Every structure is written in C-alpha cells, then in structure tokens.
Amino acid sequence: MAEVTRKELKKQIKDKVFHNIYLLYGQEKMYVKTDTDALVTRLMGKEPPEFNYHSFKRDISIDEIAVAVQVVPFLCKYNCVKVSDLDFNSLLKVDFEKFMSVLESVPDTTVLIITMPTLEQDSKKLGANFTKVLNYVKKNGIVCAMNQESDISLARQIVKWADSRGIKIEQADAYKIQEYVGFDLNAIKNELDKLCNYVGDNGYITTEHIELLTTKRLEANIFNLTDAIVSGNGTRAFEILDVLFYQKEEPTDVVNVISMAYIDFYRVRVACECGIPMKEIAKDFGYGKREFVLNKAVSKIKKISTPALRRSLDEIIDTSAKLRSVSANQRILAETLVAKLLMFATKGE
C-alpha cells in the first residue's frame, strides 16, 4: 500500500477503490473531516446501516474497537469502523499493544478508518506510538497527510469557494483574506461565508468589503501597526492599537508580535546589506509558508535606518522584561513602546 496525496485519495473514493485500513491526519482539519465523511458516505451510503457502521471517538475502549472490527457485514459488502481522534501517544502500553493487534487482524470485509479531525499534532514530532501506527498503515493500507496549503493554493481555493456560490472575488483580494485570517481553512471558510452573505447572490466581494467585515487575526493587525510606525503615522498607529485593546488582545501578546515583526525587519536589513536572497533567510530561520512576510518587509525597512532598528529592538526587549516583572499598567507600557518606536522611526537614529 502507500501514502497518497489528497487528490489521489479523492479519486480512489470517487472510483470506489477501497482499502482495509486508512489513516487520515494533518494540520488541515477541515480536509480531514470532509474526506473522512466522503469516504464513509461512499462506503456506507448517506445513512449508514447501524449494524455495519461503528463510530468511535476519544476516550474509547480498545476492546470495543476490536469487537467492532471483527463484525461480519450483514446485507452489505463492507463493515466500516471509524476511530476519531484517538491519541495513540497517551495510551497505556497494554492498550497500544492491543490496538496494534487490532490493526494486524482487520479482516478483508472490514474497512477501518483512523481519522484525526480535531486532535492537534505537532507535524514535526508525531510521537513514537503514532509513528508506529503510521508506518504500519503505510505498508498495509492508505495514509493521507492533509497539511496546510501554500498561500497561492489557498487563494485559489477561496476564489473557487466563492464561485461555487455564484460570488466573484479577485485573486488579490483572496490573498488579502488569507493574510488577515491565516492558514486555518475553517476560519477562512467562516469569513468567506460572512462576506458572501453580505454581498448576496451574484455579488462581488471587494477590498472594501474585506476591510469592513473580516475579523483580522492579531498578526495582521500588527502588520498594519508596524507599517504605520515605520511610516511615521502616529495617528494611524494608535488607532490600530486602540482596536487591538478593544478586541481584548493582551498587551503582552501585542508586544510579542511587534517584536517578531521587528526581528523580521532586522533580518531582512542584514540580508539586503549582505546580498543574501530572501529564500535563503526563510530557509535558515524556518519561515516555511511565512516567507511572504520577509518579502513584504523589504519595502518597509527602506523607511527606517539601521540604528533606529537597533534602538527599537533594545526598547522592545526592555518593555518585554517590564511586562513580565513590573506591576505596572500593561496597556500604558505597550502604548509607551509604540510612542518610542514612532520617535526612533521618524528621527532615523
């Protein structure tokens, strides 16, 4: 058997090419859920028969799974067992060994679907038990890892979703939604649904609609805040800061994300002065899909000098320390930091 892409999995489901064991997991939980549902529906129909379909969720008995796997299908080609969000790495040794025995004894008439629609996992550290399950299913069934998409494919997906509802949106504006919301497809879908409902049937989503209605994540607001700071626009900077506090963002979180933005600025400044490509910087510091923040920082840092960047970083470090140790008004500390960053940017030193 093998590890397949989502495209290959969807084709197999459409063609009714089934296997006895599946493992569907990954960062993109929306895809894990929808593809699991599609597989079950293709196997069992829209209303799965109770006798031939067994669904288990977290905190379940491995013994119950073992019994369900061995059920002989009645008036149906397959017996389907779905196990959702079982945290293998938290299982006792005896329970994990039982589960491995279950995997090794799945009969030809049973389709066992192991799916992770909500359980969060570190994509770089899957854990010993999960890795054992993964390797076994790779050899004896089908594995599909549904990880987050690139900003390009996400923008295309947004356009496709809107089009399916008869709504038009430019790809540049789809990028803006992704930039504001992040890479979580469920969050993106919720924001897009809100925009589609607002413009109505056969409507057209514009930049103005996105600015008006989209709930911006903290990082996107900080992006606008730092842009205002390095541009010397104090009025705009404090307007954004007021919005962040109105949205009940913690001052410590605001300062932390500001520090991340300024670290990006400094890395880009050093890279530009040394002639190092942004792709190399992104790789060295593990930016992954966030490489776009470096490319955007290139134009921003032209507005601020290197000494000003250094003084800004010193002030951010000092403020971060005060937030952790001083029993002062944290909002005032954050506002004071923004004021000083504006002063450094406008003075240029």
Side-chain angles (χ1 to χ4, degrees), residues 23-42:
L23 173 58
L24 310 182
Y25 75 104
Q27 296 168 302
E28 197 38 79
K29 300 303 181 185
M30 182 176 179
Y31 283 159
V32 175
K33 183 180 185 305
T34 56
D35 289 358
T36 299
D37 291 345
L39 178 56
V40 170
T41 300
R42 200 67 168 156

Side-chain angles (χ1 to χ4, degrees), residues 16 51 72-73 99 106 110 145 151 162 181 190 197-198 218 235 248 268 271 320 329 332 343:
K16 292 190 174 183
F51 187 82
V72 177
F99 189 84
V106 176
T110 291
D151 50 347
V181 181
N190 290 338
N197 290 334
Y198 182 81
L218 176 59
T235 301
K248 301 191 184 301
V268 170
S320 297
N329 186 308
I332 291 176
M343 181 180 66

Side-chain angles (χ1 to χ4, degrees), residues 181-323:
V181 181
F183 288 93
D184 186 322
L185 274 184
N186 285 310
I188 289 174
K189 190 70 163 56
N190 290 338
E191 292 300 322
L192 184 63
D193 286 343
K194 180 167 62 177
L195 289 161
C196 288
N197 290 334
Y198 182 81
V199 300
D201 294 341
N202 301 314
Y204 197 108
I205 297 172
T206 66
T207 304
E208 288 72 23
H209 294 140
I210 295 168
E211 293 291 346
L212 176 67
L213 297 172
T214 303
T215 302
K216 300 175 182 66
R217 58 182 177 150
L218 176 59
E219 188 175 351
N221 273 316
I222 296 296
F223 178 88
N224 293 331
L225 174 60
T226 54
D227 190 35
I229 291 171
V230 297
S231 299
N233 189 340
T235 301
R236 176 63 177 153
F238 280 101
E239 283 176 353
I240 295 169
L241 198 59
D242 282 342
V243 169
L244 289 170
F245 291 139
Y246 177 77
Q247 293 174 342
K248 301 191 184 301
E249 296 289 356
E250 292 294 330
T252 50
D253 293 334
V254 171
V255 172
N256 284 339
V257 182
I258 288 175
S259 72
M260 290 169 58
Y262 268 80
I263 289 170
D264 292 337
F265 293 167
Y266 195 72
R267 285 172 177 165
V268 170
R269 170 57 54 78
V270 173
C272 290
E273 290 178 350
C274 298
I276 301 173
M278 288 304 112
K279 285 189 176 295
E280 191 171 328
I281 295 296
K283 182 180 179 181
D284 288 344
F285 290 98
Y287 278 80
K289 296 181 179 70
R290 295 184 66 256
E291 182 184 338
F292 69 91
V293 302
L294 297 177
N295 295 324
K296 289 185 176 181
V298 172
S299 59
K300 283 189 178 185
I301 61 168
K302 294 176 182 177
K303 305 172 185 177
I304 186 169
S305 69
T306 300
L309 275 177
R310 289 175 179 153
R311 291 194 65 186
S312 297
L313 284 168
D314 288 340
E315 192 62 42
I316 290 168
I317 291 169
D318 184 56
T319 301
S320 297
K322 288 178 180 176
L323 286 168

